[in-house]
């Protein structure tokens, strides 16, 4: 699936936000990027844009929660250099007392089981490269909780634990496991999806914050971690905007 010598980087959730920016960043860093997401049109357009810029990209529509489809996808590769598990997200911001169990289930399914599916399916190809890197996008929500965050925090803790456990289990094999934990990142879709299309509620998340992180900021961090010499494993990078000291301590200009 690739020209000899060009390492492949698979990015999940590459149709927008951090995933799309990471695909651009890794392509510019010399990887042949494979863009996956459910939205075929989006990833095909992004692949075309990357190819037009003189880099290499292909699009492969994929739902990471569909294990049979993920296994089928994995058969296309003998070796892979990098897997960025970015697909995921938040649904709702309800208290534990009233949160919808279906939201919790769906967040666990995408953020944890989706990451598990793709990581399990591609691990042999990552190992076969002799120098593989698995990136797991957790969140600062995977490190500390906040009111209304319950379901998302639980799911992102799952993603964090997946990264930490995998790193222990495969030590000695040629695959690094990198966890990137972003705080407040303003993207087109994260908060709007969380609040089911309510753009007013979504805008309040960032109200008065001078400079929330952008998708490019996080993509830059991921690309940096991935392009360190292969004996250097960036276990965990927590990255927040300067205006955010913790999940609940955010400086807002009135
Ligand atoms: C996003 C960070 O604060 O919205 O992963 O949970 S937060």
């Amino acid at each position: 699936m690739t020209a000899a010598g060009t390492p492949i980087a698979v990015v999940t959730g590459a149709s927008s936000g951090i995933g799309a920016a990471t695909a651009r960043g890794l392509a510019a860093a010399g990887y042949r990027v494979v863009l996956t997401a459910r939205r075929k049109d989006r990833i095909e357009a992004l692949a075309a844009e990357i190819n037009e810029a003189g880099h290499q990209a292909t699009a492969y529509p994929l739902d990471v929660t569909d294990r049979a489809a993920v296994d089928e996808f994995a058969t296309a590769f003998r070796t892979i250099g990098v897997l960025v598990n970015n697909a995921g997200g938040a649904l709702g911001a309800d208290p534990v007392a009233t949160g919808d169990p279906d939201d919790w289930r769906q967040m666990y399914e995408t953020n944890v089981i989706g990451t598990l599916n793709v990581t399990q399916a591609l691990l042999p190809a990552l190992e076969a490269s002799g120098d593989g890197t698995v990136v797991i996008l957790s969140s600062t929500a995977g490190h500390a909780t906040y009111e209304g965050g319950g379901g998302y925090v639980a799911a992102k803790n799952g993603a964090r634990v997946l990264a930490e456990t995998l790193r222990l289990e495969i030590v000695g094999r040629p695959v690094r496991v990198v966890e990137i934990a972003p705080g407040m990142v303003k993207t087109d879709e994260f908060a709007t999806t969380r609040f089911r299309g309510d753009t007013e509620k979504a805008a309040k998340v960032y109200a008065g914050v001078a400079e929330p992180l952008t998708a490019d900021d996080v993509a830059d961090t991921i690309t940096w971690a991935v392009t360190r010499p292969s004996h250097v494993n960036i276990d965990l990078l927590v990255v927040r905007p300067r205006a955010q000291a913790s999940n609940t301590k955010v400086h807002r200009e009135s």
Side-chain angles (χ1 to χ4, degrees), residues 3-69:
T6 307
I8 292 176
V10 173
V11 181
T12 70
S15 51
S16 69
I18 293 171
T22 300
R24 290 188 183 98
L26 291 177
Y31 287 91
R32 174 170 182 150
V33 290
V34 178
L35 317 177
T36 74
R38 285 171 302 183
R39 291 176 294 183
K40 186 171 182 273
D41 293 358
R42 290 253 192 155
I43 52 175
E44 283 181 347
L46 179 55
E49 176 206 303
I50 291 171
N51 287 319
E52 273 160 31
H55 307 304
Q56 299 180 71
T58 51
Y60 191 110
L62 185 67
D63 175 350
V64 294
T65 66
D66 179 344
R67 183 55 188 254

Side-chain angles (χ1 to χ4, degrees), residues 8 57 89 116 122 174 201 229 231:
I8 292 176
L116 179 69
L122 295 186
K201 266 192 188 168
H231 68 287

Side-chain angles (χ1 to χ4, degrees), residues 139-141 146 152 182-184 190 194 244:
S139 165
T140 49
Y146 56 91
Y152 182 61
M184 184 184 283
F190 177 83
R194 180 172 212 168
Q244 184 185 33

